PDB file of all heavy atoms in Angstrom:
ATOM      1  N   GLY A  74     -15.701 -82.897 -40.264  1.00 90.00           N
ATOM      2  CA  GLY A  74     -16.845 -83.001 -41.170  1.00 90.00           C
ATOM      3  C   GLY A  74     -17.847 -84.068 -40.760  1.00 90.00           C
ATOM      4  O   GLY A  74     -18.622 -84.554 -41.593  1.00 90.00           O
ATOM      5  N   LEU A  75     -17.855 -84.431 -39.474  1.00 89.00           N
ATOM      6  CA  LEU A  75     -18.724 -85.511 -38.986  1.00 89.00           C
ATOM      7  C   LEU A  75     -20.184 -85.278 -39.336  1.00 89.00           C
ATOM      8  O   LEU A  75     -20.863 -86.158 -39.877  1.00 89.00           O
ATOM      9  CB  LEU A  75     -18.554 -85.648 -37.467  1.00 89.00           C
ATOM     10  CG  LEU A  75     -19.492 -86.624 -36.748  1.00 89.00           C
ATOM     11  CD1 LEU A  75     -19.206 -88.052 -37.191  1.00 89.00           C
ATOM     12  CD2 LEU A  75     -19.337 -86.491 -35.226  1.00 89.00           C
ATOM     13  N   HIS A  76     -20.675 -84.096 -39.062  1.00 93.00           N
ATOM     14  CA  HIS A  76     -22.101 -83.836 -39.277  1.00 93.00           C
ATOM     15  C   HIS A  76     -22.394 -83.447 -40.722  1.00 93.00           C
ATOM     16  O   HIS A  76     -23.514 -83.649 -41.205  1.00 93.00           O
ATOM     17  CB  HIS A  76     -22.571 -82.759 -38.307  1.00 93.00           C
ATOM     18  CG  HIS A  76     -22.366 -83.139 -36.879  1.00 93.00           C
ATOM     19  ND1 HIS A  76     -21.505 -82.453 -36.037  1.00 93.00           N
ATOM     20  CD2 HIS A  76     -22.863 -84.167 -36.153  1.00 93.00           C
ATOM     21  CE1 HIS A  76     -21.511 -83.036 -34.850  1.00 93.00           C
ATOM     22  NE2 HIS A  76     -22.312 -84.075 -34.890  1.00 93.00           N
ATOM     23  N   LEU A  77     -21.409 -82.891 -41.415  1.00 94.00           N
ATOM     24  CA  LEU A  77     -21.592 -82.630 -42.840  1.00 94.00           C
ATOM     25  C   LEU A  77     -21.832 -83.925 -43.600  1.00 94.00           C
ATOM     26  O   LEU A  77     -22.623 -83.972 -44.551  1.00 94.00           O
ATOM     27  CB  LEU A  77     -20.361 -81.913 -43.407  1.00 94.00           C
ATOM     28  CG  LEU A  77     -20.224 -80.430 -43.079  1.00 94.00           C
ATOM     29  CD1 LEU A  77     -18.847 -79.926 -43.487  1.00 94.00           C
ATOM     30  CD2 LEU A  77     -21.319 -79.614 -43.759  1.00 94.00           C
ATOM     31  N   ASP A  78     -21.164 -84.984 -43.186  1.00 92.00           N
ATOM     32  CA  ASP A  78     -21.368 -86.287 -43.816  1.00 92.00           C
ATOM     33  C   ASP A  78     -22.818 -86.747 -43.643  1.00 92.00           C
ATOM     34  O   ASP A  78     -23.440 -87.258 -44.580  1.00 92.00           O
ATOM     35  CB  ASP A  78     -20.408 -87.305 -43.195  1.00 92.00           C
ATOM     36  CG  ASP A  78     -20.576 -88.690 -43.795  1.00 92.00           C
ATOM     37  OD1 ASP A  78     -20.233 -88.873 -44.973  1.00 92.00           O
ATOM     38  OD2 ASP A  78     -21.070 -89.594 -43.083  1.00 92.00           O
ATOM     39  N   GLY A  79     -23.370 -86.553 -42.452  1.00 92.00           N
ATOM     40  CA  GLY A  79     -24.762 -86.914 -42.222  1.00 92.00           C
ATOM     41  C   GLY A  79     -25.716 -86.085 -43.054  1.00 92.00           C
ATOM     42  O   GLY A  79     -26.709 -86.604 -43.582  1.00 92.00           O
ATOM     43  N   LEU A  80     -25.417 -84.799 -43.203  1.00 95.00           N
ATOM     44  CA  LEU A  80     -26.261 -83.923 -44.014  1.00 95.00           C
ATOM     45  C   LEU A  80     -26.282 -84.385 -45.468  1.00 95.00           C
ATOM     46  O   LEU A  80     -27.345 -84.460 -46.099  1.00 95.00           O
ATOM     47  CB  LEU A  80     -25.743 -82.482 -43.931  1.00 95.00           C
ATOM     48  CG  LEU A  80     -26.454 -81.455 -44.802  1.00 95.00           C
ATOM     49  CD1 LEU A  80     -27.915 -81.302 -44.396  1.00 95.00           C
ATOM     50  CD2 LEU A  80     -25.737 -80.107 -44.741  1.00 95.00           C
ATOM     51  N   ALA A  81     -25.104 -84.715 -46.003  1.00 94.00           N
ATOM     52  CA  ALA A  81     -25.027 -85.155 -47.394  1.00 94.00           C
ATOM     53  C   ALA A  81     -25.765 -86.474 -47.603  1.00 94.00           C
ATOM     54  O   ALA A  81     -26.507 -86.638 -48.583  1.00 94.00           O
ATOM     55  CB  ALA A  81     -23.558 -85.294 -47.809  1.00 94.00           C
ATOM     56  N   ASP A  82     -25.575 -87.419 -46.686  1.00 93.00           N
ATOM     57  CA  ASP A  82     -26.255 -88.713 -46.818  1.00 93.00           C
ATOM     58  C   ASP A  82     -27.773 -88.549 -46.751  1.00 93.00           C
ATOM     59  O   ASP A  82     -28.509 -89.171 -47.532  1.00 93.00           O
ATOM     60  CB  ASP A  82     -25.788 -89.665 -45.714  1.00 93.00           C
ATOM     61  CG  ASP A  82     -24.366 -90.152 -45.930  1.00 93.00           C
ATOM     62  OD1 ASP A  82     -23.859 -90.018 -47.056  1.00 93.00           O
ATOM     63  OD2 ASP A  82     -23.771 -90.667 -44.964  1.00 93.00           O
ATOM     64  N   LEU A  83     -28.242 -87.727 -45.820  1.00 94.00           N
ATOM     65  CA  LEU A  83     -29.689 -87.537 -45.690  1.00 94.00           C
ATOM     66  C   LEU A  83     -30.256 -86.813 -46.901  1.00 94.00           C
ATOM     67  O   LEU A  83     -31.353 -87.152 -47.376  1.00 94.00           O
ATOM     68  CB  LEU A  83     -30.006 -86.762 -44.404  1.00 94.00           C
ATOM     69  CG  LEU A  83     -31.494 -86.604 -44.093  1.00 94.00           C
ATOM     70  CD1 LEU A  83     -32.152 -87.963 -43.857  1.00 94.00           C
ATOM     71  CD2 LEU A  83     -31.715 -85.700 -42.886  1.00 94.00           C
ATOM     72  N   ALA A  84     -29.530 -85.818 -47.424  1.00 94.00           N
ATOM     73  CA  ALA A  84     -30.007 -85.099 -48.606  1.00 94.00           C
ATOM     74  C   ALA A  84     -30.140 -86.039 -49.792  1.00 94.00           C
ATOM     75  O   ALA A  84     -31.124 -85.980 -50.546  1.00 94.00           O
ATOM     76  CB  ALA A  84     -29.054 -83.952 -48.937  1.00 94.00           C
ATOM     77  N   ASP A  85     -29.161 -86.922 -49.977  1.00 92.00           N
ATOM     78  CA  ASP A  85     -29.247 -87.896 -51.066  1.00 92.00           C
ATOM     79  C   ASP A  85     -30.458 -88.807 -50.888  1.00 92.00           C
ATOM     80  O   ASP A  85     -31.201 -89.075 -51.845  1.00 92.00           O
ATOM     81  CB  ASP A  85     -27.975 -88.744 -51.108  1.00 92.00           C
ATOM     82  CG  ASP A  85     -26.883 -88.111 -51.956  1.00 92.00           C
ATOM     83  OD1 ASP A  85     -27.207 -87.288 -52.820  1.00 92.00           O
ATOM     84  OD2 ASP A  85     -25.707 -88.447 -51.735  1.00 92.00           O
ATOM     85  N   ALA A  86     -30.655 -89.297 -49.667  1.00 92.00           N
ATOM     86  CA  ALA A  86     -31.748 -90.238 -49.413  1.00 92.00           C
ATOM     87  C   ALA A  86     -33.108 -89.574 -49.605  1.00 92.00           C
ATOM     88  O   ALA A  86     -34.008 -90.154 -50.225  1.00 92.00           O
ATOM     89  CB  ALA A  86     -31.627 -90.806 -48.001  1.00 92.00           C
ATOM     90  N   LEU A  87     -33.262 -88.363 -49.094  1.00 91.00           N
ATOM     91  CA  LEU A  87     -34.542 -87.672 -49.235  1.00 91.00           C
ATOM     92  C   LEU A  87     -34.791 -87.281 -50.691  1.00 91.00           C
ATOM     93  O   LEU A  87     -35.926 -87.358 -51.180  1.00 91.00           O
ATOM     94  CB  LEU A  87     -34.563 -86.422 -48.348  1.00 91.00           C
ATOM     95  CG  LEU A  87     -34.637 -86.655 -46.839  1.00 91.00           C
ATOM     96  CD1 LEU A  87     -34.496 -85.330 -46.096  1.00 91.00           C
ATOM     97  CD2 LEU A  87     -35.950 -87.331 -46.451  1.00 91.00           C
TER      98      LEU A  87
END
Side-chain angles (χ1 to χ4, degrees):
L75 174 66
H76 301 116
L77 284 170
D78 179 69
L80 176 63
D82 288 344
L83 185 63
D85 272 338
L87 289 174

